[in-house]
Amino acid sequence: MAEKPAAKKKPAAKKKAPAKKKAAAKKKAAAKKPAAKKAAPAEPPKPKLPKLKDVGHWIGLRVDGVGDRTLGRVAGLHVDVTDGEPRWAVLRLGPLAGSTTIPFEHIAEGAGRLWAAYERDWVREAPRFRPSEALSADDELELCAHWGIREKQGRTGEIAGRDGDEITSIPAES
């Protein structure tokens, strides 16, 4: 058998020491610099809610919920005492069940009816109020807790710091 000639070894490539040193120096410099604070992502603009004059026709409309089950009928609207804008829709749950309120911004209108993303049982567990009854800050905070509106968010942020007995929401004039 014939032996194969030994392969010639290629000379080892020379390392570029200066480039490696520069990269290492950059890494060290970057490590020493304090990390720049990232700006918080901008919140998307909040959709504009309809004005009171645009929702007066809601009175008497049926509100449907999850599973197309009727939650009740709008018996009235409550407005903020300072700006007069709607904050709560009062739902008549039935002749024996009484009335409760749903956050105005949680109701959508379409196809000649109103819709809220709640289950009927959850609505029926909400605190009860009469359509003609003004709401105090404590009443509204109780409602916000039931509807899952976090502290210092939405309506809870609007009424934060007010006295618990202070009237914050009144029935809208028909």
Short mmCIF file of all heavy atoms in Angstrom, two decimals, residues 67-92:
data_model
loop_
_atom_site.label_atom_id
_atom_site.label_comp_id
_atom_site.label_asym_id
_atom_site.label_seq_id
_atom_site.Cartn_x
_atom_site.Cartn_y
_atom_site.Cartn_z
N GLY A 67 -73.88 35.65 26.88
CA GLY A 67 -74.83 34.59 26.55
C GLY A 67 -76.17 35.13 26.09
O GLY A 67 -77.16 34.42 26.13
N ASP A 68 -76.20 36.39 25.69
CA ASP A 68 -77.42 37.05 25.22
C ASP A 68 -78.53 37.04 26.26
O ASP A 68 -79.71 37.07 25.93
CB ASP A 68 -77.93 36.40 23.92
CG ASP A 68 -77.66 37.27 22.71
OD1 ASP A 68 -77.21 38.41 22.90
OD2 ASP A 68 -77.90 36.79 21.60
N ARG A 69 -78.17 36.97 27.52
CA ARG A 69 -79.16 37.00 28.59
C ARG A 69 -79.45 38.44 28.96
O ARG A 69 -78.54 39.26 29.07
CB ARG A 69 -78.66 36.23 29.80
CG ARG A 69 -78.52 34.74 29.46
CD ARG A 69 -78.31 33.88 30.63
NE ARG A 69 -79.48 33.93 31.51
CZ ARG A 69 -79.47 33.46 32.73
NH1 ARG A 69 -78.38 32.93 33.22
NH2 ARG A 69 -80.54 33.53 33.49
N THR A 70 -80.69 38.75 29.18
CA THR A 70 -81.08 40.10 29.56
C THR A 70 -80.62 40.39 30.98
O THR A 70 -80.88 39.61 31.90
CB THR A 70 -82.61 40.27 29.46
OG1 THR A 70 -82.99 40.04 28.12
CG2 THR A 70 -83.03 41.66 29.88
N LEU A 71 -79.91 41.52 31.14
CA LEU A 71 -79.45 41.93 32.46
C LEU A 71 -80.50 42.82 33.14
O LEU A 71 -80.61 42.83 34.35
CB LEU A 71 -78.14 42.70 32.35
CG LEU A 71 -76.98 41.95 31.70
CD1 LEU A 71 -75.76 42.86 31.60
CD2 LEU A 71 -76.65 40.69 32.46
N GLY A 72 -81.22 43.57 32.35
CA GLY A 72 -82.23 44.48 32.88
C GLY A 72 -82.52 45.57 31.86
O GLY A 72 -82.07 45.49 30.70
N ARG A 73 -83.26 46.58 32.27
CA ARG A 73 -83.56 47.73 31.42
C ARG A 73 -83.02 48.99 32.09
O ARG A 73 -83.04 49.10 33.32
CB ARG A 73 -85.05 47.88 31.19
CG ARG A 73 -85.61 46.78 30.33
CD ARG A 73 -87.01 47.09 29.85
NE ARG A 73 -87.48 46.06 28.95
CZ ARG A 73 -87.29 46.06 27.63
NH1 ARG A 73 -86.64 47.04 27.08
NH2 ARG A 73 -87.75 45.08 26.89
N VAL A 74 -82.56 49.91 31.26
CA VAL A 74 -82.02 51.16 31.81
C VAL A 74 -83.17 51.96 32.42
O VAL A 74 -84.14 52.30 31.74
CB VAL A 74 -81.29 51.99 30.73
CG1 VAL A 74 -80.81 53.31 31.32
CG2 VAL A 74 -80.12 51.20 30.16
N ALA A 75 -83.06 52.22 33.72
CA ALA A 75 -84.09 52.98 34.44
C ALA A 75 -83.67 54.42 34.64
O ALA A 75 -84.49 55.26 35.00
CB ALA A 75 -84.36 52.33 35.79
N GLY A 76 -82.40 54.72 34.40
CA GLY A 76 -81.92 56.08 34.58
C GLY A 76 -80.42 56.15 34.43
O GLY A 76 -79.74 55.12 34.28
N LEU A 77 -79.90 57.36 34.44
CA LEU A 77 -78.46 57.59 34.36
C LEU A 77 -78.05 58.48 35.52
O LEU A 77 -78.81 59.36 35.93
CB LEU A 77 -78.10 58.28 33.04
CG LEU A 77 -78.40 57.48 31.77
CD1 LEU A 77 -78.27 58.37 30.55
CD2 LEU A 77 -77.46 56.29 31.66
N HIS A 78 -76.88 58.24 36.06
CA HIS A 78 -76.33 59.10 37.10
C HIS A 78 -75.15 59.85 36.50
O HIS A 78 -74.34 59.27 35.77
CB HIS A 78 -75.86 58.26 38.29
CG HIS A 78 -76.94 57.97 39.28
ND1 HIS A 78 -78.08 57.26 38.96
CD2 HIS A 78 -77.07 58.30 40.58
CE1 HIS A 78 -78.85 57.17 40.02
NE2 HIS A 78 -78.26 57.79 41.02
N VAL A 79 -75.06 61.13 36.83
CA VAL A 79 -74.00 61.99 36.31
C VAL A 79 -73.12 62.49 37.45
O VAL A 79 -73.56 62.56 38.61
CB VAL A 79 -74.58 63.19 35.52
CG1 VAL A 79 -75.36 62.72 34.31
CG2 VAL A 79 -75.45 64.06 36.40
N ASP A 80 -71.91 62.83 37.10
CA ASP A 80 -70.98 63.40 38.07
C ASP A 80 -71.48 64.78 38.49
O ASP A 80 -71.94 65.55 37.65
CB ASP A 80 -69.60 63.52 37.42
CG ASP A 80 -68.56 63.99 38.39
OD1 ASP A 80 -68.37 65.22 38.49
OD2 ASP A 80 -67.93 63.15 39.03
N VAL A 81 -71.38 65.09 39.79
CA VAL A 81 -71.88 66.38 40.26
C VAL A 81 -71.03 67.55 39.79
O VAL A 81 -71.52 68.67 39.71
CB VAL A 81 -72.02 66.43 41.80
CG1 VAL A 81 -73.08 65.48 42.29
CG2 VAL A 81 -70.71 66.16 42.49
N THR A 82 -69.76 67.29 39.44
CA THR A 82 -68.90 68.41 39.04
C THR A 82 -68.97 68.73 37.55
O THR A 82 -69.01 69.89 37.18
CB THR A 82 -67.42 68.13 39.42
OG1 THR A 82 -67.02 66.89 38.83
CG2 THR A 82 -67.25 68.06 40.92
N ASP A 83 -69.01 67.71 36.69
CA ASP A 83 -68.99 68.01 35.24
C ASP A 83 -70.28 67.64 34.52
O ASP A 83 -70.44 67.94 33.34
CB ASP A 83 -67.79 67.36 34.56
CG ASP A 83 -67.80 65.84 34.58
OD1 ASP A 83 -68.84 65.24 34.92
OD2 ASP A 83 -66.77 65.24 34.24
N GLY A 84 -71.21 66.97 35.20
CA GLY A 84 -72.50 66.63 34.59
C GLY A 84 -72.45 65.54 33.54
O GLY A 84 -73.42 65.31 32.84
N GLU A 85 -71.34 64.83 33.45
CA GLU A 85 -71.21 63.76 32.47
C GLU A 85 -71.64 62.43 33.08
O GLU A 85 -71.46 62.18 34.27
CB GLU A 85 -69.76 63.66 31.97
CG GLU A 85 -69.33 64.84 31.13
CD GLU A 85 -70.21 65.07 29.91
OE1 GLU A 85 -70.59 64.08 29.24
OE2 GLU A 85 -70.52 66.23 29.62
N PRO A 86 -72.22 61.54 32.26
CA PRO A 86 -72.72 60.25 32.78
C PRO A 86 -71.58 59.40 33.36
O PRO A 86 -70.50 59.33 32.79
CB PRO A 86 -73.31 59.56 31.55
CG PRO A 86 -73.38 60.57 30.48
CD PRO A 86 -72.46 61.69 30.83
N ARG A 87 -71.88 58.77 34.49
CA ARG A 87 -70.91 57.87 35.12
C ARG A 87 -71.50 56.48 35.35
O ARG A 87 -70.79 55.50 35.35
CB ARG A 87 -70.43 58.43 36.46
CG ARG A 87 -69.63 59.71 36.35
CD ARG A 87 -68.33 59.46 35.59
NE ARG A 87 -67.45 60.60 35.67
CZ ARG A 87 -67.35 61.55 34.74
NH1 ARG A 87 -68.11 61.48 33.67
NH2 ARG A 87 -66.52 62.54 34.88
N TRP A 88 -72.80 56.40 35.57
CA TRP A 88 -73.45 55.13 35.90
C TRP A 88 -74.77 55.02 35.15
O TRP A 88 -75.47 56.00 34.96
CB TRP A 88 -73.75 55.04 37.40
CG TRP A 88 -72.54 55.14 38.26
CD1 TRP A 88 -72.09 56.27 38.90
CD2 TRP A 88 -71.63 54.12 38.59
NE1 TRP A 88 -70.95 55.99 39.60
CE2 TRP A 88 -70.63 54.68 39.43
CE3 TRP A 88 -71.53 52.77 38.26
CZ2 TRP A 88 -69.58 53.93 39.93
CZ3 TRP A 88 -70.48 52.03 38.77
CH2 TRP A 88 -69.52 52.61 39.59
N ALA A 89 -75.10 53.81 34.72
CA ALA A 89 -76.41 53.50 34.16
C ALA A 89 -77.15 52.67 35.20
O ALA A 89 -76.63 51.66 35.68
CB ALA A 89 -76.27 52.73 32.86
N VAL A 90 -78.33 53.11 35.57
CA VAL A 90 -79.12 52.39 36.56
C VAL A 90 -79.96 51.35 35.82
O VAL A 90 -80.68 51.68 34.89
CB VAL A 90 -80.04 53.35 37.35
CG1 VAL A 90 -80.84 52.58 38.40
CG2 VAL A 90 -79.23 54.45 38.00
N LEU A 91 -79.83 50.09 36.23
CA LEU A 91 -80.58 49.00 35.60
C LEU A 91 -81.69 48.53 36.52
O LEU A 91 -81.46 48.24 37.69
CB LEU A 91 -79.67 47.80 35.33
CG LEU A 91 -78.58 47.92 34.29
CD1 LEU A 91 -77.94 46.57 34.06
CD2 LEU A 91 -79.10 48.49 33.00
N ARG A 92 -82.86 48.43 35.96
CA ARG A 92 -83.98 47.81 36.67
C ARG A 92 -83.87 46.32 36.37
O ARG A 92 -83.97 45.88 35.22
CB ARG A 92 -85.30 48.37 36.17
CG ARG A 92 -86.49 47.73 36.81
CD ARG A 92 -87.47 48.78 37.29
NE ARG A 92 -88.68 48.17 37.81
CZ ARG A 92 -88.84 47.85 39.09
NH1 ARG A 92 -87.88 48.10 39.95
NH2 ARG A 92 -89.95 47.31 39.50
#
